[in-house]
Every structure is written in structure tokens, then in C-alpha cells.
Amino acid sequence: MSEPINPITLPPAQNPEQEGEWLQKTLEVWLDSEFLPEATNQEIAQRAAQIYVRQRMEGENDLGSLVIAIVTEMRGFDFSKSFYGEFAIANAVSDLLLDSLGIDRCCGQ
């Protein structure tokens, strides 16, 4: 029988706006480097960071819940001018956060 994956809890937000600025810049760089740099990448990164900041200001520290919130709220974003979709964005945010915390995201560890 497989073991459940333990939740990942982020440290409480000390400065959600600063975290959001970091996330927006880092996500935009990631988006531009994965495919072609697109003007819409800035809008995508800005929207994802807004969702993240609001969730953190409301006290959300669970990474899984943050990912679900980003997927849900990014559904309303127009991705027609992008290679990406809401799931790719939420997964990228998760990976960037894990990397920033020094958590290895390989192989479920």
C-alpha cells in the first residue's frame, strides 16, 4: 500500500507583498525561458502573484491549497495568446516555491 504524501506547509507570510513581487518576477523569467518570451507572460505572472498574495494574506500556508486556488482562479484568464494554461502556471508556482525553500521536488521526496 502506498503512503500518503505529507502536506507541505509554507512558513507564515511575513511580507506577502514582497513574496508576490518575487513570485511575479521569478515566474515571468521561468515562463520566458520555457518557450518563447511573450508579452502575455507578464500578465500571467502578475495575475498568479495577485492570487498568491491574496491567499497568503488570508492565512493560507498549505502549498496544495495555494495550487488549487491558482488553478481555479486562473481559469478565468485568457490563455489564447499563450503556450500555457492554468495547470502549468499553478505547477510552476509550486515548483518555484519549493525551490526557494530548498525542498527537493524530485520523485515525491
Side-chain angles (χ1 to χ4, degrees):
M1 178 178 227
S2 61
E3 296 292 319
I5 298 172
N6 292 326
I8 296 173
T9 304
L10 302 177
Q14 299 298 318
N15 189 340
E17 292 86 4
Q18 186 178 23
E19 289 181 27
E21 289 173 19
W22 169 84
L23 180 60
Q24 181 176 341
K25 290 174 188 172
T26 307
L27 181 58
E28 186 174 348
V29 168
W30 183 88
L31 292 168
D32 285 345
S33 68
E34 285 296 301
F35 288 109
L36 299 171
E38 303 174 292
T40 193
N41 288 348
Q42 182 179 13
E43 297 171 34
I44 293 169
Q46 181 179 27
R47 181 67 185 124
Q50 287 172 344
I51 296 165
Y52 173 83
V53 168
R54 190 182 70 255
Q55 290 292 315
R56 295 287 276 156
M57 290 178 83
E58 291 175 0
E60 187 59 71
N61 296 327
D62 179 74
L63 183 59
S65 296
L66 287 165
V67 167
I68 297 293
I70 292 170
V71 167
T72 302
E73 293 191 40
M74 291 298 289
R75 283 187 177 161
F77 188 86
D78 178 10
F79 284 100
S80 64
K81 296 178 183 174
S82 174
F83 289 106
Y84 302 101
E86 61 271 12
F87 288 98
I89 301 307
N91 285 332
V93 168
S94 174
D95 287 349
L96 293 171
L97 291 170
L98 290 173
D99 288 346
S100 75
L101 295 170
I103 297 174
D104 185 10
R105 52 190 164 93
C106 176
C107 311
Q109 298 297 319

